[in-house]
Amino acid sequence: MTDLPGATQSPPAEPGEATEPTVPAHRPPPPGPEPAPGPATEAGLAPGLASAAGPASESAPVPVSATEAGFAPGPAPAPPSASAGTALPKEAGAGTADSDSGRGAYLSNRFLARAALLTALLTAAGALLGLVRDQTIAHLYGAGPGTDAFLVAWTVPEVASTLLIEDAMALILVPAFSLALARRAAREPLPAGPTPDGASGRDPVHALLRTTLPTLLLALSAGAVLLMLAAPWVVALLAPGLPDTQLAVDCTRLTATCAFSFGIAGYCSAALRAHGSFVPPAMIYVAYNIGIIATMLILSDRLGVRAAAAGVAVGGCLMVLVQAPVVLRRLRERRATAERTAPEPSGEQPGGAGRPLVALGLLAPVIVFALTRQSQVLIERFLAAPLPAGAISHLNYAQKVAQMPMVLSLMLCTVTFPVVARAMAAGDTDRARRRVERDLALAGVIVLVGAATVVACAPQIIEILFQRGAFDRADTAATAAVMRVYALGLLGHTLVGALVRCYFSAARPLWFPALAMLLGLALTTAGGALLVGTWGVLGIAAGNALGITVTAMLLLHGVARHSVPVRVRHMTGGLVKLSAAAAAATGAGWLCGALIPSPLAGAAVACLVVAAVFLVIARAVQAPEIDSLVRSVTGRFANVR
């Protein structure tokens, strides 16, 4: 189905899809009852479905370029017609939606589904390469003192990734670029083509670049140099009592370069996602892991474990290079604005003309939240440093594998974050609520199935992935045990990652997420410190699960008051039903996996059993989104001839 902004007639609705009343492009739609979801609209992320990302009324007016998002351009849309006596200018370059002009282009349901699918596939590819990277580290260096030293240094890129790519940079800049695009869309038409000299100040997007990018470059450069100089103190703080301190210092100085490269990569990712271009940002971890693996294979004999640290530096540069061509093309373009967007309820221009593009008060709570969230890893390694050699490695391998379901479950939230941000900027909280509720339910389905699989067949998974070379059977048993405990907190990690986007989607300074995360970190620290003496490394993982689960509960119950008016009781009940189905599926999968001696066959059977039992139980208790997903998938197969 093709979205035609400003058209007087709507295209035929897909089966089960709710339609909106036709309204003029310059006038907000009248209030009405929430459309009833149909079998095709409830699915949210069924790949390839026309309405897989939600009903048509939820499509927020976010600029998008189908070509730059990685999709083949479709048929050229019909030119818009006049509506309610208002003549709309004819679009220049018909056939493609201008991705940065806001000229009535929409992130349609079909686009969101395909963007989420491609993003998930590329993220899965990056995660698989991450497993290959970890397998290479395990094969070359095992789980001994050298690997522990490198993993202490790897704390720097892990913190930088959270702060500069995944959380802080995205939470600040995606709403900022969305606001700039809304302001650009509200302006009178400007001549198409390159920006004339002296005219760039009229463009809010270019103004945002000029006010943020130079300062960011300076701050990132200073931070990277400071980390290199302070490497001995950083290692002493992160892992007191580490056997090979000098090796950890050398690796830390090599990984410190990512403080610069990750920041530039995160800036590019935020700008591209706000413009509706999702494929280049999704490719960064593919490039990153390729850089690490290649560097280790080439330099391992000469540098030892330092080659892995050098690979982090190389991978960070590749993160920037895979996005640079698209970003540079954006900076050279300035397109015409063809129509005005609907005015905000407050009477201001779309995007809030009186609001700054980047609120300085927003920086502190976002940064505190991101650093506090990543500090969980620092606390774990601090507590594990005095334990026998290999404890930090077991924590690392278990965490990397266990978090894969969480990463995949957050792909839809990553794609729809600009949609929610634009809806909140326009004051359309009802559209934001429907989008967020659907995203939370679908993310819960994905992560709970993944968590059940991880718990059910953890030994088989670790044996298949890592048990070779210096990584022996004892390492497999220890890592699998830790991974099972980590999996108990996967739903909490997913909810925190999804809900924090809601809190900061309106680009308002909010301290509640940071305070909730600080409380969760305190519980992680206290729980890990109390349990490590009795359970060892398992106690550290249990403290992590406890802290992040409490944080998720606080964020879920506070989101309606502080941000998007989500129906908290409805969402809590749905997540409880999904968790019950996951618990039953875990037991069934564990039993089946234990009865089969072959690790590969046991894991495969356990995965199938987990999925089947989860589906049956979830449908029986009427968990959210399950019936619609089943109907959507079976409907697709029924149409295959």
Side-chain angles (χ1 to χ4, degrees), residues 162-180 208 212 216 266-267 269-271 273-274 355-370 417 421 500-501 503-510:
T162 298
L163 184 62
L164 300 176
I165 299 178
E166 302 302 334
D167 283 345
M169 192 76 74
L171 293 174
I172 293 171
L173 288 178
V174 169
F177 274 103
S178 298
L179 178 58
L208 177 60
T212 57
L216 180 67
Y267 191 95
S269 296
R273 284 169 178 161
R355 292 166 51 193
L357 290 170
V358 178
L360 295 179
L362 181 64
L363 299 178
V366 171
I367 290 174
V368 170
F369 170 83
F417 181 34
V500 73
R501 290 168 167 84
Y503 281 93
F504 295 116
S505 60
R508 292 186 293 110
L510 286 173

Side-chain angles (χ1 to χ4, degrees), residues 21 67 104 140 155 188 239 248 264 280 348 390 395 418 424 494 557 570 636:
T67 302
L140 294 175
T155 304
E188 293 291 345
I264 304 303
E348 297 178 358
L395 282 169
M424 294 297 290
T494 298
H557 286 274
H570 171 76
R636 294 283 292 181

Side-chain angles (χ1 to χ4, degrees), residues 123 127 131 133-134 158 161-162 166 373-374 376-377 380-381 395-411 446-447 450-451 454 461-462 482-484 486-494 544-545 548:
T123 302
L131 288 177
R133 174 203 65 203
D134 292 341
E158 285 178 331
S161 174
T162 298
E166 302 302 334
R373 186 180 182 188
Q374 188 58 39
Q376 290 180 314
V377 177
E380 292 173 14
R381 290 179 181 172
L395 282 169
N396 172 75
Y397 293 130
Q399 189 179 64
K400 291 294 189 299
V401 178
Q403 286 187 350
M404 286 185 65
M406 177 200 72
V407 173
L408 293 176
S409 67
L410 287 175
M411 285 305 98
I446 296 170
V447 75
V454 166
I461 293 174
I462 297 299
V482 175
M483 191 167 75
R484 278 174 165 159
Y486 262 135
L488 301 178
L490 284 181
L491 179 60
H493 281 288
T494 298
N544 177 289
I548 199 65

Side-chain angles (χ1 to χ4, degrees), residues 54-72:
S57 60
E58 292 184 28
S59 299
V62 181
V64 58
S65 170
T67 302
E68 294 187 9
F71 309 138

Side-chain angles (χ1 to χ4, degrees), residues 61-438:
V62 181
V64 58
S65 170
T67 302
E68 294 187 9
F71 309 138
S81 59
S83 177
T86 302
L88 298 177
K90 184 177 180 180
E91 283 191 334
T96 59
D98 183 14
S99 60
D100 62 352
S101 67
R103 298 180 297 170
Y106 286 82
L107 279 182
S108 66
N109 303 316
R110 188 184 301 274
F111 177 88
L112 286 175
R114 296 177 67 186
L117 176 60
L118 282 178
T119 302
L121 290 175
L122 287 171
T123 302
L128 290 175
L129 285 171
L131 288 177
V132 174
R133 174 203 65 203
D134 292 341
Q135 288 174 334
T136 305
I137 294 173
H139 179 74
L140 294 175
Y141 315 117
T147 308
D148 286 352
F150 165 69
L151 292 176
V152 170
W154 205 350
T155 304
V156 175
E158 285 178 331
V159 172
S161 174
T162 298
L163 184 62
L164 300 176
I165 299 178
E166 302 302 334
D167 283 345
M169 192 76 74
L171 293 174
I172 293 171
L173 288 178
V174 169
F177 274 103
S178 298
L179 178 58
L181 288 166
R183 291 185 181 179
R184 172 188 281 179
R187 294 179 179 271
E188 293 291 345
L190 295 172
T195 304
D197 293 339
S200 61
R202 301 175 60 192
D203 185 0
V205 176
H206 290 180
L208 177 60
L209 290 168
R210 290 197 310 272
T211 56
T212 57
L213 189 55
T215 303
L216 180 67
L217 291 173
L218 181 62
L220 293 174
S221 302
V225 173
L226 182 62
L227 274 174
M228 292 179 185
L229 296 176
W233 295 276
V234 171
V235 171
L237 178 65
L238 294 178
L242 194 69
D244 198 338
T245 302
Q246 186 56 47
L247 178 60
V249 169
D250 293 343
C251 291
T252 300
R253 285 179 170 146
L254 287 168
T255 59
T257 57
C258 69
F260 179 83
S261 59
F262 280 22
I264 304 303
Y267 191 95
C268 295
S269 296
L272 291 174
R273 284 169 178 161
H275 283 82
S277 183
F278 296 98
V279 170
M283 292 177 62
I284 59 175
Y285 288 109
V286 174
Y288 174 64
N289 288 317
I290 288 175
I292 296 176
I293 295 169
T295 305
M296 283 193 296
L297 294 177
I298 295 172
L299 299 179
S300 181
D301 291 340
R302 185 181 306 174
L303 300 179
V305 77
R306 292 177 179 86
V312 171
V314 174
C317 296
L318 294 179
M319 281 181 161
V320 178
L321 293 178
V322 296
Q323 300 180 96
V326 180
V327 175
L328 291 177
R329 185 163 65 250
R330 288 269 179 232
L331 296 180
R332 291 194 298 264
E333 290 178 352
R334 174 123 177 234
R335 302 299 181 102
T337 304
E339 65 182 18
R340 294 180 178 272
T341 57
E344 295 185 6
S346 63
E348 297 178 358
Q349 286 182 331
R355 292 166 51 193
L357 290 170
V358 178
L360 295 179
L362 181 64
L363 299 178
V366 171
I367 290 174
V368 170
F369 170 83
L371 288 177
T372 305
R373 186 180 182 188
Q374 188 58 39
S375 294
Q376 290 180 314
V377 177
L378 307 183
I379 295 299
E380 292 173 14
R381 290 179 181 172
F382 181 87
L383 295 174
L387 296 178
I392 295 178
S393 299
H394 297 149
L395 282 169
N396 172 75
Y397 293 130
Q399 189 179 64
K400 291 294 189 299
V401 178
Q403 286 187 350
M404 286 185 65
M406 177 200 72
V407 173
L408 293 176
S409 67
L410 287 175
M411 285 305 98
L412 179 61
C413 301
T414 299
V415 170
T416 59
F417 181 34
V419 177
V420 177
R422 288 295 292 272
M424 294 297 290
D428 193 350
T429 56
D430 190 58
R431 175 182 293 163
R433 176 190 62 78
R434 294 195 304 271
R435 181 71 267 165
V436 168
E437 288 183 353
R438 181 171 284 108

